[in-house]
Amino acid sequence: MSGLMDMLTGLMGPMGPLIAVGGLGFLLIIGTLPFLLVRQEDPLEKLKRDREAAPNVQKDRLRTNKRNDKLERYSSFLEPQNEEEYSAMRIKLLQAGYRDKDAVRYFHFAQFALGLLGLLVGVIYYLTVLAAQHPDLQKTLMYVLGPGGAGYFFPKYWINKRMAARQEEITNGFPDALDMLLVCVEAGQSMDQAILRVSHEIRSSYPALADEFELVSLEIKAGKDKSNVLSDMAERCGVSDIASFVTVLIQSASFGTSIADALRVYAGEMRDKRVMRAEEKANKLPTKMTLATMALTVPPLLIILIGPSVLNISKMGQITPGSQAEAAEDSSQ
């Protein structure tokens, strides 16, 4: 600490420490201003705005675009030739929310382009910075191939992150959607009308789940078999709750039982499951906070308890034998 004080005094004069503390405080204030000035939007205002803007939304937002002819010539290079690999990648992109017909090509093109870009950056960095230092082979490979590998695997990381976020959104919104679906069915609407109504009601809160419900409604209107439509929905979502829900609806239609009764029982199970997930997260919280609590509380506590003793010991070590003799003479007199 004394070395830092001496350095600040040498750089900015006697007022150096005070100027440094003031500057640090100013930077902290500037850094916290954006968080204080950001105003949370009222959920009711957001819902009202979304409903007013709903008529202006294009009707074909769920339709997939035509294939890109520019990438067609490179299809053998940008697409897996194995049908199983292509289907697995296509399903993974659908679960991440990418429905474009060329999504697989775009994904592999992004991997190829970012890998080359990272490799180029690594080579430029090596030639401009590291070449003069004559690094060894391991360091050279790390700085040249490392950015290329990071760029190549970044699209896969992005897809996995998007897929996890979308599945979490669907899981969180599904119990509420199921309750609204049950209310609509018990009010006398058909299952198709109830699915379409629920998709409109939950769009402002859970757009991913609303898109899935609306796509189901459009496919049923187009004449596709309902069981196949629901199975495709479960495959696109990749959530176990949706898969169980689809199984319940298919079995209810197959055996001729009441859909309302099946929805009532399953909605109750989903509510209980959501409570159990909340309790599980609450039980994990103390364990996750243990390390942070120790890191933030133990060092200040040690400084408070041991700091004065260390300071006294350091002062005693600085006392010379001459000063000890003078102190002894003063005490004898």
Side-chain angles (χ1 to χ4, degrees), residues 3 9 23 27 29 47 64 66 68 75 79 93 111 115 134 137 159 173 178 210 220 222 243 251 285 291 325 328:
T9 304
L27 291 177
I29 293 173
L47 181 62
T64 56
K66 296 181 179 179
N68 193 342
S75 60
E79 290 182 357
L93 291 172
Q111 280 190 320
H134 302 288
L137 180 60
I159 292 298
L178 200 58
I220 292 176
Q251 290 180 352
L285 188 60
L291 183 60

Side-chain angles (χ1 to χ4, degrees), residues 209-226:
L209 186 59
D211 287 342
E212 292 297 336
F213 278 148
E214 187 170 359
L215 189 59
V216 167
S217 177
L218 293 176
E219 287 181 348
I220 292 176
K221 287 182 179 179
K224 195 173 180 179
D225 185 63
K226 185 180 293 185

Side-chain angles (χ1 to χ4, degrees), residues 34 146 289:
M289 291 181 61

Side-chain angles (χ1 to χ4, degrees), residues 159-232:
I159 292 298
N160 292 332
K161 187 177 180 180
R162 280 289 304 268
M163 184 175 63
R166 189 170 183 270
Q167 289 177 351
E168 184 179 1
E169 178 186 340
I170 292 175
T171 303
N172 294 333
F174 184 63
D176 296 335
L178 200 58
D179 289 336
M180 285 189 283
L181 194 65
L182 175 61
V183 171
C184 293
V185 171
E186 289 184 340
Q189 289 185 339
S190 64
M191 193 64 188
D192 303 342
Q193 294 174 344
I195 290 176
L196 184 60
R197 178 62 183 271
V198 170
S199 68
H200 293 163
E201 294 294 333
I202 66 174
R203 178 165 297 280
S204 58
S205 301
Y206 308 103
L209 186 59
D211 287 342
E212 292 297 336
F213 278 148
E214 187 170 359
L215 189 59
V216 167
S217 177
L218 293 176
E219 287 181 348
I220 292 176
K221 287 182 179 179
K224 195 173 180 179
D225 185 63
K226 185 180 293 185
S227 60
N228 294 333
V229 171
L230 295 174
S231 300
D232 292 342

Side-chain angles (χ1 to χ4, degrees), residues 69-88:
D69 295 334
K70 295 180 180 180
L71 295 178
E72 184 69 29
R73 66 184 69 178
Y74 306 108
S75 60
S76 60
F77 177 72
L78 296 176
E79 290 182 357
Q81 300 303 310
N82 191 349
E83 186 176 355
E84 294 182 359
E85 294 180 2
Y86 180 85
S87 300

